[in-house]
Amino acid sequence: MAQIHRLSCFLFSLLIFTLAQADHTIVHRQSRARAFIMFQCRTTLYPGLCVRTLSYYAGYFTTTMSHKQLAQIALKVTLGRAESTRTYVTGVAKGLDPTKAKDYQAIRQCLDQISDGVDLLTSCIKEMQKIKEHGAGSRDFPWRSSNVKTWMSTALTDASMCINGFPGRAIGGKTKAMIKAKVLNLQQVTSNALALFNYFAARYRLSHVKKPKV
């Protein structure tokens, strides 16, 4: 009986030790991932925002920390912001009187531009998924990379045009301030995502340059 008790205690201790080691490994991995994110965010125009928005996803880096994976996460975060901004502007548009041309048309134009941005960012994510880091598929990289850069730059321009299209007193001050804040945030996360993609693309090109034979 005492032997069984000792064996049970040993197995329980072994289980606790294994779980503790697993927790330590996860924490260590996430700490390394956060450090990786912080370092890469230094290449962006808004590093503080970059770290705040991407650190939450440190757990997504299961084994290795990939520049491609970070760019993909940044793109998905940007798409999420674009969708939430579109939802807010849609609500504002529904509350306006269509007969008041200045108010309604300014909001509708902004909504169309944000919606275009959502479509473009969705296309960017799909294109990123098709980029192969190795093998024959890597030959498509210049074309796919150009697509992502063009579409992201256009989405950034769309967000800028949304704000610039508001007349002086088109809508209430608080509503206008809220839209401006949301669109400004969208512009900044889009800019950061584009910077991270550009960094990934530059590293990719360097790693695939054929070295001259000696």
Side-chain angles (χ1 to χ4, degrees):
M1 193 71 178
Q3 230 176 354
I4 294 173
H5 179 69
R6 282 195 297 272
L7 180 60
S8 298
C9 288
F10 172 75
L11 291 174
F12 181 72
S13 300
L14 183 61
L15 176 62
I16 294 298
F17 176 77
T18 303
L19 291 174
Q21 286 295 101
D23 287 343
H24 175 74
T25 301
I26 292 171
V27 170
H28 178 66
R29 186 187 302 139
Q30 290 185 349
S31 296
R32 287 182 58 216
R34 287 192 185 93
F36 173 73
I37 290 168
M38 289 178 69
F39 185 79
Q40 298 309 317
C41 282
R42 292 167 59 187
T43 65
T44 68
L45 285 177
Y46 311 99
L49 176 65
C50 178
V51 172
R52 288 196 301 275
T53 53
L54 298 182
S55 290
Y56 175 80
Y57 300 91
Y60 281 58
F61 295 90
T62 52
T63 52
T64 58
M65 287 156 279
S66 161
H67 291 87
K68 178 187 176 183
Q69 190 179 11
L70 184 61
Q72 285 177 311
I73 291 172
L75 262 172
K76 289 177 182 178
V77 168
T78 303
L79 176 60
R81 294 295 171 90
E83 288 173 335
S84 65
T85 301
R86 180 176 63 178
T87 299
Y88 181 79
V89 178
T90 298
V92 173
K94 287 180 179 178
L96 292 175
D97 186 349
T99 61
K100 294 181 179 180
K102 284 187 178 180
D103 289 16
Y104 189 73
Q105 291 305 321
I107 292 295
R108 283 303 311 179
Q109 186 177 7
C110 177
L111 182 57
D112 289 342
Q113 286 155 346
I114 297 301
S115 295
D116 286 344
V118 168
D119 293 339
L120 288 166
L121 291 167
T122 300
S123 296
C124 286
I125 290 173
K126 290 178 180 177
E127 199 75 344
M128 275 286 288
Q129 291 170 343
K130 294 174 185 175
I131 291 176
K132 306 296 182 185
E133 297 199 57
H134 305 286
S138 62
R139 286 179 234 161
D140 294 337
F141 180 79
W143 173 56
R144 298 196 186 283
S145 172
S146 177
N147 287 341
V148 173
K149 289 179 183 179
T150 300
W151 296 338
M152 287 186 72
S153 297
T154 305
L156 193 56
T157 301
D158 283 340
S160 301
M161 290 175 65
C162 167
I163 287 298
N164 294 336
F166 283 131
R169 295 183 179 178
I171 52 178
K174 287 185 179 179
T175 303
K176 184 175 181 179
M178 181 61 76
I179 293 177
K180 278 186 126 179
K182 286 182 174 294
V183 175
L184 178 61
N185 182 264
L186 174 58
Q187 285 178 293
Q188 292 175 346
V189 295
T190 304
S191 170
N192 284 347
L194 180 56
L196 291 172
F197 177 80
N198 283 337
Y199 188 77
F200 155 68
R203 287 178 59 89
Y204 184 98
R205 283 192 296 270
L206 282 174
S207 66
H208 286 72
V209 171
K210 291 184 178 179
K211 297 180 180 179
K213 294 182 180 179
V214 179

